[in-house]
């Protein structure tokens, strides 16, 4: 097979599918590589244990791509409050949508809902070709074309190849874009739980010495949880009986919503940090987790990825209007300049939070012992946290603005 298009996107997860749809709607011919088309069926009977807390800017991007409505028809839960604390009675930080004049602070959406809603639109787009079974073995640049050579000698070429193939990006590896990685020495335990007293449309975040526990509201009485803790404790939480897991979790949440009871499976994901040194090369760009992976505290990963896709889109449209090659290094550098600083800033802010509350932080121990708690010392960071949660303080690409 010899296939040629304007843009090849490797990876059709949340970020790659968003990029493919955005590019196709602007008239680019897109080839999308993804091992399998995700299921579009929806019964809503059970919950996906992987969810995303989407900012209002991500909502706007997905609205502008005509995806939001179908996500809401499946399941998307708006949350109006966020409550951050370390120990009951030791100060807490609460912020509400009404404080910032917004109807909500964002939505919690299952990853499979986001992916299925994007792919539903993709299937209606005649200028996206989905290729499922290709194993890329090398990537070469020839003139103004980037060529993907497959293990069966098929060649796919395009002016631009976008790596949206996640943290273990093979595009990044094959073109030799280096990335620094490190482990947080934590795993994130994820599952869905039912709350005895309902979720109060509130995202709860407790900072414990072992790591943060996030309770993200779903419907009225469920939470999707991300409990970041040591790998040993994570494994023991996953393997514990439901009864003892429920007990430990309810205690860890200080029963702010009453007893919590697990529904369905539990899993633990190792938490790693990754920063690609460069996001672009002649004819190649990285977006989403292929370029940056951050701590799931405050759930920002996919929001940054959507901003990458939307910003790259702006740059490509501008290049086309000026008759520049969309794969030219000068063009792609504009994307990198627009996104890398913000991604690094959010990454550092999340690391700052994590370290501030970690076990071996002497300043925090003192704060705790003095009984001052989270509120006093977090307030300088509070506004930053709000801005990050709301997706503010960033150059907003066209798709992130209300059309
Ligand atoms: C425990 C946990 C909780 C999280 N919670 C949140 C949250 O609340 N909010 C948030 O914003 N983020 C959250 N994240 C992060 C978020 O899940 C990621 O940022 C997001 O999945 C990145 O999307 P992506 O499309 O870039 O990559 P991925 O989701 O990794 O998708 C990559 C895609 O590429 C495909 N692929 C891979 N290799 C190839 C190949 N060689 N050829 C073709 N296709 C390929 C894969 O099949 C996949 O579909 C969380 C992460 C963890 C671990």
């Amino acid at each position: 097979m010899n296939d040629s298009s304007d843009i090849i996107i490797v990876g059709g997860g949340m970020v790659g599918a968003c990029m493919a749809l955005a590019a196709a709607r602007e008239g680019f011919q897109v080839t999308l590589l993804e091992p399998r088309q995700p299921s579009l069926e929806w019964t809503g009977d059970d919950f996906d244990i992987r969810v995303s807390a989407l900012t209002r800017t991500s909502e706007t991007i997905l609205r502008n791509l005509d995806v939001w409505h179908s996500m809401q028809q499946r399941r998307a839960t708006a949350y109006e409050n966020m409550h951050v604390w370390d120990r009951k009675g030791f100060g807490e930080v609460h912020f509400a949508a009404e404080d910032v004049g917004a109807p909500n602070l964002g939505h919690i959406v299952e990853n499979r809902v986001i992916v299925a809603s994007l792919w539903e639109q993709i299937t209606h787009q005649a200028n996206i070709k989905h290729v499922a079974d290709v194993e890329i073995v090398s990537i070469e640049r020839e003139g103004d074309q980037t060529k993907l050579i497959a293990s069966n000698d098929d060649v796919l070429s395009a002016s631009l190849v976008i790596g949206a193939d996640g943290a273990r990006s093979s595009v990044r590896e094959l073109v030799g874009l280096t990335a620094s990685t490190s482990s947080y020495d934590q795993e994130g335990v994820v599952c869905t739980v039912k709350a005895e007293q309902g979720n109060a449309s509130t995202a709860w975040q407790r900072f414990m010495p072992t790591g943060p526990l996030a309770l993200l509201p779903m419907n009225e009485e469920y939470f999707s949880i991300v409990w970041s803790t040591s790998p040993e404790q994570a494994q023991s939480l996953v393997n514990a009986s439901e009864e003892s897991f429920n007990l430990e979790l309810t205690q860890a949440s200080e029963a702010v919503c009453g007893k919590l009871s697990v529904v369905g499976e539990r899993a633990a994901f190792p938490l790693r940090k990754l920063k690609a040194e460069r996001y672009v090369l002649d004819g190649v760009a990285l977006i989403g987790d292929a370029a940056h992976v951050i701590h799931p505290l405050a759930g920002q990963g996919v929001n940054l990825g959507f901003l990458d896709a939307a910003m790259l889109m702006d740059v490509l449209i501008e290049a086309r209007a000026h008759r520049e090659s969309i794969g030219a290094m000068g063009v792609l550098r504009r994307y990198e300049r627009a996104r890398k600083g913000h991604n690094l800033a959010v990454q550092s802010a999340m690391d700052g939070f994590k370290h501030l509350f970690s076990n071996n932080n002497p300043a925090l121990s003192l704060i705790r012992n003095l009984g001052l708690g989270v509120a006093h010392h977090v307030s300088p960071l509070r506004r930053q946290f709000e801005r990050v949660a709301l997706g503010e303080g960033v150059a907003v690409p066209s798709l992130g603005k209300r059309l």
Side-chain angles (χ1 to χ4, degrees), residues 315-325 331 334:
V315 166
L316 300 183
I317 292 168
E318 195 192 332
R320 183 174 59 183
H322 291 100
R323 299 189 179 284
E324 292 172 284
S325 164
V331 169
R334 280 178 228 147

Side-chain angles (χ1 to χ4, degrees), residues 10-15 33-35 50-53 164-166 170 190 226 269 288-289 296 299-303:
V10 183
M14 295 186 279
V15 176
L33 271 56
E34 170 62 43
R50 296 211 54 176
V51 307
S52 297
D165 47 349
S170 55
V190 294
V226 184
F269 295 91
D289 273 23
Q300 283 303 303
V302 78
N303 295 292

Side-chain angles (χ1 to χ4, degrees), residues 86-87 89-93 357 363-379:
D86 71 347
R87 247 192 310 158
F90 279 76
E92 36 217 343
V93 181
F357 291 97
L364 182 70
S365 307
L366 182 65
I367 291 164
R368 283 209 176 106
N369 293 340
L370 294 173
L372 296 174
V374 102
H376 286 68
H377 292 266
V378 167
S379 31

Side-chain angles (χ1 to χ4, degrees), residues 2 16 33 62 71 112 126 138 148 150 156 171 214-215 221 226 282 345 347 350 352 358 384:
N2 276 310
L33 271 56
L62 295 163
M71 279 172 44
R112 69 166 179 209
S138 66
L148 300 189
L156 292 90
V171 171
L215 302 163
E221 49 187 3
V226 184
D282 205 17
Q347 209 164 30
M350 295 305 119
S358 72
Q384 189 183 2

Side-chain angles (χ1 to χ4, degrees), residues 5-279:
S5 47
D6 297 320
I7 302 173
I8 297 172
I9 299 170
V10 183
M14 295 186 279
V15 176
C18 173
M19 185 76 223
L21 188 56
R25 286 165 63 104
E26 288 297 333
F28 289 102
Q29 192 65 42
V30 176
T31 300
L32 177 59
L33 271 56
E34 170 62 43
R36 65 206 156 267
Q37 173 165 333
S39 165
L40 304 186
E41 273 178 34
W42 171 255
T43 60
D45 293 345
D46 55 356
F47 293 96
D48 184 0
I49 55 169
R50 296 211 54 176
V51 307
S52 297
L54 297 181
T55 60
R56 292 179 52 76
T57 306
S58 291
E59 174 187 338
T60 307
I61 292 173
L62 295 163
R63 271 189 196 280
N64 287 335
L65 293 173
D66 292 326
V67 171
W68 187 256
H69 180 63
S70 112
M71 279 172 44
Q72 282 193 303
Q73 281 190 322
R74 288 181 164 98
R75 186 158 50 218
T77 305
Y79 65 102
E80 286 144 29
N81 305 285
M82 185 166 219
H83 198 85
V84 184
W85 84 110
D86 71 347
R87 247 192 310 158
K88 241 186 209 164
F90 279 76
E92 36 217 343
V93 181
H94 185 90
F95 53 96
E98 58 187 17
D99 297 344
V100 288
N104 56 60
L105 292 173
H107 283 76
I108 309 300
V109 191
E110 291 147 85
N111 289 5
R112 69 166 179 209
V113 166
I114 302 174
V115 170
S117 304
L118 284 161
W119 273 79
E120 199 168 69
Q121 287 295 319
I122 284 175
T123 56
H124 296 137
Q125 212 61 56
N127 52 343
I128 301 182
K129 179 176 173 187
H130 173 214
V131 176
D133 43 8
V134 162
E135 192 204 340
I136 315 158
V137 290
S138 66
I139 301 179
E140 295 165 9
R141 184 75 172 162
E142 263 181 42
D144 66 352
Q145 292 289 295
T146 304
K147 293 182 185 290
L148 300 189
I149 323 293
S151 54
N152 62 357
D153 293 332
D154 280 354
V155 178
L156 292 90
S157 57
S159 306
L160 172 63
V161 168
I162 299 176
D165 47 349
R168 296 209 179 95
S169 170
S170 55
V171 171
R172 193 184 63 229
E173 302 263 307
L174 288 170
V175 301
L177 282 167
T178 49
S180 58
T181 56
S182 55
S183 167
Y184 283 109
D185 294 323
Q186 285 187 336
E187 291 190 5
V189 176
V190 294
C191 66
T192 310
V193 301
K194 191 167 182 181
E196 187 184 27
Q197 295 167 10
N199 59 38
S201 289
T202 301
W204 304 82
Q205 181 107 243
R206 181 177 178 205
F207 286 92
M208 292 183 289
T210 43
L213 165 67
L215 302 163
L216 307 172
M218 309 254 289
N219 287 352
E220 280 99 37
E221 49 187 3
Y222 293 91
F223 285 111
S224 179
I225 73 149
V226 184
W227 188 345
S228 309
T229 185
S230 67
E232 298 73 36
Q233 194 189 4
Q235 289 312 316
S236 109
L237 288 168
V238 168
N239 296 324
S241 68
E242 286 199 356
E243 202 182 328
S244 49
F245 176 81
N246 293 344
L247 191 66
E248 272 198 73
L249 177 63
T250 305
Q251 277 170 356
S253 72
E254 298 197 305
V256 284
C257 293
K259 186 178 172 216
L260 301 177
S261 309
V262 65
V263 182
E265 56 170 334
R266 280 164 273 166
F269 295 91
L271 302 181
R272 300 184 64 74
K273 174 162 69 172
L274 179 145
K275 297 181 203 180
E277 273 165 41
R278 304 291 313 271
Y279 291 5

